[in-house]
């Protein structure tokens, strides 16, 4: 029988080997792909301020060009730094989960699709809410990458711990994240008055939004309960598996890190006080980005499964 010291050394060896394999698989293409986004953001940030202002998507005068360009534009350094930090945490985590679960190619397809499609889609979806102002910054696209995490975590659990099929766990994680986001948004709306301009008149809509969000929280709670009951056998398997996951060092730490990130990000992107400097965080585009990221990636997986069946 091995002593505690020998067992600990063996675990460290397995962990080092797992991490080594993960980085051995990293290719020049993947690194270039991940670095392309911050390179573009920094390049755009180096443009003169008047040029950047001309690329901003204005709700009153939308255009295809600004719809595509605006998410890559930042008008001040702190905004750029926050979005670079968000990207620098979310994209590598999604990549690491995908490589560890054997879905490198899936990550590439999802990543490229979200980075190319989400900027114009999110810009024009902003027009769904009647208001004056502009849309600028990469946070909506970063939230789309965040929307990929439920799928990436579910695939990791499926592949490495044989817990449950990806299509069973991923929606449960997505709705859990959506419930947390909705509760945080409710807190932000309830503590900050919201009004919108309608035909030159400012109309308060705080009570309407609060009522709508309370209804959404109730609906999501029901969805979570019903979905959990529908997949209760998989949930039981997940609980059982998590008790033994520490025997798989490396993969367990990655799961803990990704899950902690998944639960922490909403508290940063949906703060109770969304006012930052002279502006207001666009909670709507954060929510839509999260939803688009999950729906797009989950649709891809569903198509993959049908084609391989």
């Amino acid at each position: 029988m091995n002593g505690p010291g020998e067992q600990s050394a063996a675990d460290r060896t397995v962990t080092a080997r797992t991490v080594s394999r993960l980085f051995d698989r990293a290719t020049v293409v993947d690194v270039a792909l991940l670095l392309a986004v911050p390179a573009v953001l920094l390049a755009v940030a180096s443009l003169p301020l008047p040029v950047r202002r001309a690329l901003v998507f204005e709700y009153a005068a939308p255009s295809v060009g600004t719809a595509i360009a605006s998410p890559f534009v930042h008008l001040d350094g702190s905004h750029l730094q926050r979005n670079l930090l968000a990207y620098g945490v979310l994209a590598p985590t999604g990549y690491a989960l995908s490589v560890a679960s054997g879905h490198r190619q899936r990550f590439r397809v999802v990543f490229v699709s979200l980075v190319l499609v989400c900027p114009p889609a999110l810009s024009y979806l902003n027009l769904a809410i009647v208001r004056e102002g502009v849309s600028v910054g990469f946070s909506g696209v970063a939230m789309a990458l965040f929307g990929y995490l439920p799928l990436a975590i579910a695939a990791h659990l499926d592949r490495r711990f044989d817990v449950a099929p990806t299509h069973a766990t991923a929606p449960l994680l997505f709705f859990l994240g959506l419930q947390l986001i909705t509760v945080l948004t409710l807190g932000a709306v309830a503590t900050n008055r919201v009004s919108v301009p309608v035909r030159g008149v400012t109309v308060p809509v705080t009570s309407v939004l609060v009522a709508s969000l309370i209804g959404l929280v109730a609906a999501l709670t029901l969805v979570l309960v019903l979905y959990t009951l529908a997949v209760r056998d998989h949930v039981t398997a997940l609980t059982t598996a998590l008790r033994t996951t520490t025997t798989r060092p490396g993969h367990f730490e990655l799961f803990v890190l990704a899950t902690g990130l998944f639960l922490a990000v909403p508290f940063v992107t949906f703060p109770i006080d969304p006012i930052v400097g002279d502006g207001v965080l666009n909670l709507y585009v954060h929510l839509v980005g999260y939803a688009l990221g999950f729906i797009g990636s989950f649709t891809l997986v569903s198509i993959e499964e049908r084609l391989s069946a």
Side-chain angles (χ1 to χ4, degrees):
M1 180 179 292
N2 293 332
E6 294 177 352
Q7 183 63 42
S8 177
D11 288 346
R12 287 196 296 270
T13 301
V14 174
T15 301
R17 193 176 301 151
T18 300
V19 173
S20 176
R21 283 200 301 267
L22 179 62
F23 283 98
D24 285 343
R25 295 175 184 173
T27 64
V28 174
V29 174
D30 295 326
V31 173
L33 198 63
L34 290 170
L35 291 179
V37 168
V40 171
L41 294 179
L42 290 171
V44 174
S46 68
L47 296 173
L49 184 59
V51 176
R52 281 180 281 151
R53 289 188 183 279
L55 296 175
V56 170
F57 184 79
E58 299 182 12
Y59 302 143
S63 70
V64 175
T66 57
I68 296 172
S70 190
F72 298 96
V73 176
H74 298 83
L75 300 179
D76 63 82
S78 61
H79 190 195
L80 174 63
Q81 290 172 5
R82 290 195 300 271
N83 284 338
L84 283 174
L85 177 60
Y87 174 83
V89 172
L90 294 171
T93 301
Y95 174 73
L97 286 167
S98 300
V99 173
S101 60
H103 294 298
R104 176 197 297 274
Q105 187 60 30
R106 174 188 295 174
F107 174 83
R108 290 173 176 171
V109 173
V110 169
F111 178 84
V112 173
S113 299
L114 293 180
V115 170
L116 293 180
V117 174
C118 283
L122 291 173
S123 293
Y124 278 106
L125 285 170
N126 265 300
L127 300 179
I129 299 179
V130 180
R131 66 197 190 280
E132 297 177 355
V134 299
S135 174
V136 62
F138 196 74
S139 59
V141 185
M143 286 302 293
L145 296 175
F146 175 66
Y148 173 65
L149 279 189
L151 179 68
I153 294 172
H156 185 63
L157 287 171
D158 184 9
R159 178 67 179 270
R160 293 302 174 185
F161 304 109
D162 195 24
V163 170
T166 301
H167 67 265
T169 311
L172 182 61
L173 291 173
F174 168 73
F175 284 118
L176 178 63
L178 187 59
Q179 176 74 304
L180 178 58
I181 287 171
T182 305
V183 171
L184 292 171
T185 304
L186 175 59
V189 171
T191 55
N192 297 272
R193 290 187 175 184
V194 181
S195 59
V196 296
V198 178
R199 297 178 181 178
V201 179
T202 301
V203 180
V205 295
T206 302
S207 58
V208 175
L209 287 177
V210 167
S212 300
L213 288 169
I214 290 175
L216 182 57
V217 168
L220 286 172
T221 301
L222 180 60
V223 168
L224 279 171
V225 171
L226 293 177
Y227 193 88
T228 302
L229 290 175
V231 297
R232 59 183 178 275
D233 292 338
H234 296 314
V235 173
T236 302
L238 171 61
T239 305
T240 303
L242 288 179
R243 296 194 186 102
T244 60
T245 50
T246 52
T247 62
R248 301 179 185 181
H251 296 302
F252 173 69
E253 286 82 358
L254 179 57
F255 164 73
V256 172
L257 174 66
T259 303
L261 179 65
F262 177 67
L263 295 175
V265 166
F267 287 94
V268 178
T269 52
F270 294 87
I272 297 299
D273 185 5
I275 299 175
V276 179
D278 296 331
V280 179
L281 288 179
N282 194 336
L283 303 185
Y284 168 75
V285 81
H286 289 180
L287 172 60
V288 174
Y290 173 64
L292 284 180
F294 176 78
I295 292 171
S297 55
F298 190 76
T299 300
L300 171 65
V301 172
S302 299
I303 293 174
E304 285 181 349
E305 291 179 349
R306 288 184 178 275
L307 291 177
S308 62

